[in-house]
Amino acid sequence: MAKKKTSVDFTDKEIYFELDQERYRLIRFYPANMTVDVTRYVEGKKQGQTNLPFAHLPKTIKQLIKPKR
């Protein structure tokens, strides 16, 4: 039986979105946990990488990711 993917990589797609006047770049989606890894940018400068819940993403980004149930 085939193993399920543990994450979906989005680094090559350059997906950006804004939350609370901060810009984020989507890196990876974890369907098992329903979380995403993002890189945070403040005033155009990279501020590090963090993990966000899928529910906190804007609707347009959620539609791009399309998690399978």
Side-chain angles (χ1 to χ4, degrees), residues 22-52:
E22 293 180 353
R23 190 169 178 167
Y24 293 90
R25 178 176 180 220
L26 185 65
I27 298 172
R28 196 172 295 111
F29 171 61
Y30 296 98
N33 301 2
M34 292 300 286
T35 59
V36 293
D37 281 343
V38 294
T39 302
R40 185 173 69 139
Y41 293 89
V42 178
E43 298 177 4
K45 295 182 183 178
K46 189 175 181 180
Q47 296 295 317
Q49 196 171 355
T50 187
N51 193 300
L52 291 175

Side-chain angles (χ1 to χ4, degrees), residues 54-66:
F54 182 77
H56 292 191
L57 297 177
K59 190 173 184 176
T60 54
I61 302 302
K62 288 180 185 178
Q63 291 172 346
L64 290 173
I65 295 174
K66 295 181 185 175

